[in-house]
Amino acid sequence: MAPISTPQTPFGRVLTAMVTPFTADGALDIEGAQRLATHLVDAGNDGLIINGTTGESPTTSDAEKDQLVRAVLEAVGDRAHVVAGIGTNDTRHSVELARTAERSGAHGLLAVTPYYNKPPQEGLLRHFTAIADSTGLPVMLYDIPGRSGVPIDTETLVRLAEHPHIVANKDAKGDLGRASWAIARSGLAWYSGDDMLNLPLLSVGAVGLVSVVGHVVTPELRALIEAHLGGDVQKATEIHQKLLPVFTGMFRTQGVITTKAALTLQGLPAGPLRLPLVELTAQETAQLKIDLAAGGVQL
């Protein structure tokens, strides 16, 4: 059973979009995934996103995705929300993945905007509605036009929020004005999907965050949210500013690449990447160490 949630925080407040550990030969590392999930929940995560883009979902099979959800549920499902990424640019495939995740016991679904085929807003509405209709699980939308090519318009978000299963949005749009309006009008639980904007999005109504840097600074992210909720603007700002080198360093190149490098430096399960992603160069690794150290991360 997942931890208690509320309509305001259906997936908790601090979630990490977890990488998928692989073995040296590139196979799924189930034991490593369970160890990493346990480490992240012990560090203070309320939930984990499994099989998101940070989990290299474009290069894992449906069977691997199912294995991973089941393994993480076994490891931490009694004390953290396990949310399965099921988004693709094929509505039927997404519905199949959603139903499989529900059968496996996932606590919720993350559905990214269909990418590359650039559907109109009516297509987005029908796509997300089909997913939400297909299971009884709560759904978090994922709005990231920089990757998908299409934003979810505010009017579409308002209409989608009428669906009883669509309860949240992960915002990686990078537009605080549009976020402000969408939060006010939709009533969706809003989660920051852009680490650099965690504090700004909290200030306009976000309830939590889905983080990549949570792999290395979850306690600091929790402290930031607690300071914000407690009305200590100065402390929240100080934490935000302290983490700026981490936010910058973890996204100097593609985030999965730097995250797996950071975990390896800390002796945690990560393993290699699957092509087309590639490992950091020696120079990039040296810069990552500098960035993490500047943000107080112990290696």
Side-chain angles (χ1 to χ4, degrees):
M1 182 176 179
I4 295 173
S5 60
T6 71
Q8 292 74 35
T9 58
F11 303 105
R13 293 196 183 274
V14 180
L15 297 92
T16 291
M18 196 179 92
V19 301
T20 298
F22 297 126
T23 60
D25 62 357
L28 193 63
D29 182 0
I30 290 295
E31 189 272 336
Q34 291 182 317
R35 281 200 293 129
L36 179 58
T38 299
H39 166 79
L40 291 172
V41 174
D42 287 347
N45 279 282
D46 299 315
L48 300 172
I49 306 292
I50 309 302
N51 295 325
T53 309
T54 307
E56 295 179 75
S57 58
T59 58
T60 57
S61 69
D62 290 1
E64 288 176 322
K65 289 178 174 64
D66 186 43
Q67 280 183 278
L68 193 61
V69 169
R70 291 175 183 272
V72 172
L73 281 164
E74 181 181 344
V76 300
D78 60 341
R79 58 196 184 102
H81 299 273
V82 177
V83 181
I86 52 81
T88 73
N89 61 351
D90 174 353
T91 304
R92 288 183 298 177
H93 188 196
S94 295
V95 166
E96 291 171 5
L97 290 173
R99 289 172 173 163
T100 299
E102 183 175 39
R103 287 194 297 268
S104 300
H107 303 136
L109 306 173
L110 179 73
V112 71
T113 311
Y115 39 83
Y116 190 76
N117 42 17
K118 300 186 75 171
Q121 293 300 307
E122 181 64 24
L124 297 185
L125 183 72
R126 295 187 193 185
H127 172 83
F128 290 125
T129 299
I131 292 169
D133 283 344
S134 70
T135 84
L137 294 178
V139 176
M140 179 188 292
L141 307 174
Y142 183 11
D143 186 9
I144 182 166
R147 286 178 183 261
S148 69
V150 178
I152 310 175
D153 287 350
T154 299
E155 292 298 329
T156 306
L157 287 163
V158 171
R159 293 175 67 187
L160 287 168
E162 297 173 0
H163 197 293
H165 298 161
I166 297 176
V167 300
N169 183 56
K170 176 185 175 185
D171 183 359
K173 191 176 278 173
D175 188 326
L176 292 173
R178 292 171 79 177
S180 299
W181 274 111
I183 292 168
R185 294 189 57 214
S186 72
L188 291 170
W190 214 258
Y191 289 81
S192 170
D194 183 341
D195 279 304
M196 187 66 82
L197 295 183
N198 286 341
L199 182 56
L201 279 167
L202 289 170
S203 75
V204 297
V207 301
L209 50 95
V210 176
S211 176
V212 173
V213 304
H215 284 91
V216 293
V217 291
T218 289
E220 290 83 353
L221 295 177
R222 287 211 70 89
L224 184 152
I225 288 181
E226 289 166 7
H228 171 76
L229 292 173
D232 193 339
V233 176
Q234 181 176 344
K235 182 177 180 182
T237 303
E238 289 173 353
I239 296 169
H240 170 74
Q241 291 177 349
K242 175 187 175 184
L243 292 177
L244 288 175
V246 181
F247 297 155
T248 299
M250 291 287 279
F251 293 100
R252 288 187 186 275
T253 185
Q254 207 273 356
V256 183
I257 296 173
T258 49
T259 299
K260 283 199 163 184
L263 290 171
T264 299
L265 289 170
Q266 291 186 314
L268 291 165
L273 297 131
R274 287 183 176 174
L275 287 170
L277 301 184
V278 294
E279 281 72 17
L280 292 182
T281 65
Q283 183 177 356
E284 288 170 331
T285 300
Q287 180 62 57
L288 179 62
K289 290 179 180 179
I290 292 170
D291 293 329
L292 294 177
V297 177
Q298 301 294 316
L299 299 176

